Amino acid sequence: MRIKKRPLNRPVSELSNRYVNREYSWLQFNQRVLEEAENPRVPLFERLKFLAIFESNLDEFYMVRVSGLIEQHEGGIQDLTPDGLTPSEQLTMIAEVARALRQRAANQWSDVLRPALEEKGVRIRNIADLPIEKQMELRQYFREEVFPLCTPLILHPAPNVPFISNRSLNLAVTLKGKSKGIYIGRVKIPSVIPRVIEVSPGSLEYVLLEDLVKHNLDSLYPGTNIQSANLFRVIRDADVEIKDLEAADLVNAIEESIRERRFGAPVLLEIEEGTPTSVRNTLMKLLELDSDDVFDVRGLIGMDMLSQIAKLDLPDLRFPQFSPIKTEALSTPQSLFSIIAERDVLVHHPFDSFSPVENFVRSAAQDPDVIGIKQTLYRAGAKSPIVEALLEAAERGKQVAVMVELKARFDESNNLVWARALERAGVHVSYGFPNMKVHCKLCSVVRREGGKLKSYVHIGTGNYNPDTARLYTDVGLFTSDPDITRDVQELFNYLTGLSNPMEYRQLLVAPDNLRDKVIQRIEREIDCHRQYGNGRIIIKLNSLVDPEVIESLYDASNVGVQVDLLVRGISCVRPGIHGMSENIRVKSVVGRFLEHSRVYYFGNGGTPEALIGSSDLMRRNLDRRIEVLVPVRSEVLTRMLHDNLLSIYLQDNTNSWIMQSDGCSQRKIEDGDNAFSAQKYLIQHPFAPHQVPGK
């Protein structure tokens, strides 16, 4: 059993008058996701997906963040966070908040969403309530399709405890055999069979696979007295550390880490409410967990099955179909490079199509005048038109270099597959640095034009992944600006050749200068406000944690600079505190699309500056990742970012939460003519129509 955690004897909101706890802020973010599942304005199937996302988020939080805190706690590390919490205090706080949220999610399914599905004709039935003939049909299905895949095991008492895999769904079965002893068995619910099983073709009536297995346990444990059967699930540490290595050892280390992740230490046990105390205690003992590490869940365990239901062919229960705007001039190889040569181009996904990005790489692969392509890949996905284009370019004899980040958590396997395919095609593949992640999103194309070489680049805020480009909001810049293209080329030389970092002309690059350059811009805004009285900062990003940047924003607030922070996830800023942050507002937008773009805007005394790029303002991004922000040098595009993106999100009053000084969020909802949704507006008013000359 673990060392007893230190109790948290004071409210989280009183721990620090300057910073919100990072983990508490993340839990507040996931609560906002849960509230979308609770929002009656959201279509029913979309609410199911939000509930599944909530649980997936919470799983990853435990696999990565909580597991790290447990390691610190058990290692005797009691370092304080900026807000004044030890690891043990954070674990106590997380258990209290997360347990309540998880039960709230379970109640939402049982009390609200499941009945709402029944009203729409979609019924999740209990097998015991079905007519006998249907039960017999399902029993036959079990014998033919499920029984061969089930492996009944004994958990206790047993000479060797069978391994329980991460996130797998299991039944703990209490058995009494021919002897007087009581045994606890375990049956893993097969993951290769759909969990939602149709009762009759076209009926929209379903049973769950775990219910089917439970009702046929007599086939798995014949000759025994089955006294109880209860669902449980184990979450394990998946944050396998990559030790300092030589670059040549990195591939082997990544392969080993993928294998080790399956066997990480347990960090959380979810168990069906009403499970016998003896079973609960036995599982805790076997897994070496204490009561703080156990959630007793009413109802559904493993909400990923809700995504399966949400795929049913009932379009009225989803958001209306949406097709991104596709500007033909940006999707035609003949005109793409000529447009970028004439002017910078900005695209905003998913409102603008991702096809110009794919076409940029595809055109480079096929254009006989293109002689070189360099690309970073972080999360390319299982199917990647971008990688396929890079392979084609190499096969056509072009010089292709790709920086593949193998340490992109949970995407390591995909990236290894692509890296090997690229190497086989003759691409120069590099893997970056053992102790840093390459998170920047860059593509560089070199073209021979009129006897001279001309470079073009794309710099984005999101991954080169067409699937996420339909679900995440991201911004991308195409430019042939000589200063920027030269900076990108020199950065690639650093990534692939380990040359010394350069003094970049335009790029802000972490860990070299990005934090300092952002703080310099905040300080410049302070000076401008003192001189002109019109200081303005708007920053849109995923997370804001770094204390140095936060202190600079507090300084700006204290002189009167108006600071608006659009933060999707974690924000450690305490807004609205007199004498510290009274001019800072923190807003979060959670809607149909995952807000993922990073945009930095500074009023600069009437000559505004905007930057986009890959970096959030977290210590990991600023100190342990290669990140890039690029200034948008076009006045037209800078104004577009302000007027057509940042201002739009600041106006949102239907999918917005306003952060309070205690770190909690207050939902902002308006009805009728005053209601305004940023994402709905951007569907109707994307960037693309403004990009083509003459428009």
Side-chain angles (χ1 to χ4, degrees), residues 275-293:
T275 298
T277 302
S278 59
V279 175
R280 187 180 192 274
N281 290 342
T282 298
L283 287 172
M284 288 170 56
K285 183 178 180 179
L286 293 175
L287 297 167
E288 298 184 339
L289 298 173
D290 61 32
S291 57
D292 281 349
D293 307 317

Side-chain angles (χ1 to χ4, degrees), residues 246-305:
E246 297 297 326
D249 297 326
L250 187 57
V251 173
N252 291 335
I254 292 295
E255 290 175 326
E256 181 61 26
S257 74
I258 295 171
R259 287 190 290 269
E260 288 181 11
R261 180 177 289 156
R262 297 177 55 242
F263 303 101
V267 293
L268 179 68
L269 169 64
E270 289 184 342
I271 192 165
E272 185 179 348
E273 189 177 71
T275 298
T277 302
S278 59
V279 175
R280 187 180 192 274
N281 290 342
T282 298
L283 287 172
M284 288 170 56
K285 183 178 180 179
L286 293 175
L287 297 167
E288 298 184 339
L289 298 173
D290 61 32
S291 57
D292 281 349
D293 307 317
V294 181
F295 289 175
D296 295 280
V297 177
R298 172 192 171 218
L300 191 64
I301 294 179
M303 292 185 177
D304 52 309
M305 52 79 64

Side-chain angles (χ1 to χ4, degrees), residues 322 347-352 354 441 460-463 465 467-476 540-542 566 568 589-599 612-614 616 645-646 649 678-680 682-683 687:
F322 157 66
V347 286
H348 188 196
H349 315 299
F351 315 105
D352 296 332
F354 190 65
K441 326 296 183 182
T461 69
N463 300 304
N465 185 324
D467 293 330
T468 56
R470 290 191 289 268
L471 302 172
Y472 296 5
T473 71
D474 276 302
V475 177
K540 183 180 185 297
L541 72 177
N542 298 332
L566 292 159
R568 183 196 80 207
V589 174
V590 179
R592 174 175 182 171
F593 308 114
L594 181 75
E595 290 299 332
H596 193 253
S597 55
R598 289 97 165 184
V599 182
I612 69 159
S614 61
D616 293 315
L645 191 153
L646 297 173
Y649 281 101
Q679 292 187 358
K680 285 184 179 179
L682 289 166
I683 287 174
F687 281 5

Side-chain angles (χ1 to χ4, degrees), residues 474-633:
D474 276 302
V475 177
L477 175 71
F478 294 98
T479 184
S480 60
D481 182 297
D483 287 343
I484 294 174
T485 57
R486 185 62 180 267
D487 278 355
V488 170
Q489 290 167 354
E490 290 177 350
L491 177 56
F492 267 113
N493 290 342
Y494 171 57
L495 296 178
T496 59
L498 302 181
S499 60
N500 291 324
M502 301 293 297
E503 184 63 36
Y504 300 101
R505 301 158 186 80
Q506 293 295 327
L507 295 187
L508 284 62
V509 180
D512 184 32
N513 66 7
L514 199 151
R515 176 190 282 111
D516 291 343
K517 294 291 186 180
V518 168
I519 290 175
Q520 287 174 15
R521 283 163 169 79
I522 296 171
E523 292 172 344
R524 182 188 66 189
E525 206 61 30
I526 292 172
D527 293 339
C528 287
H529 186 79
R530 286 176 172 150
Q531 184 174 358
Y532 304 112
N534 61 351
R536 188 76 170 105
I537 297 173
I538 309 173
I539 301 177
K540 183 180 185 297
L541 72 177
N542 298 332
S543 298
L544 175 53
V545 175
D546 187 70
E548 292 181 53
V549 175
I550 291 173
E551 289 297 329
S552 294
L553 291 172
Y554 288 161
D555 291 342
S557 172
N558 281 334
V559 302
V561 176
Q562 182 61 54
V563 180
D564 277 294
L565 304 172
L566 292 159
V567 188
R568 183 196 80 207
I570 304 167
S571 174
C572 294
V573 171
R574 287 196 179 278
I577 295 179
H578 180 72
M580 185 180 81
S581 58
E582 57 197 291
N583 292 306
I584 296 177
R585 295 178 295 183
V586 181
K587 182 176 187 176
S588 179
V589 174
V590 179
R592 174 175 182 171
F593 308 114
L594 181 75
E595 290 299 332
H596 193 253
S597 55
R598 289 97 165 184
V599 182
Y600 296 71
Y601 178 89
F602 302 91
N604 194 27
T607 307
E609 181 186 26
L611 305 95
I612 69 159
S614 61
S615 185
D616 293 315
L617 296 174
M618 306 176 74
R619 283 174 168 170
R620 71 178 189 189
N621 298 84
L622 302 177
D623 297 330
R624 302 190 301 277
R625 290 187 175 190
I626 307 296
E627 304 275 13
V628 165
L629 295 180
V630 59
V632 177
R633 303 185 77 182

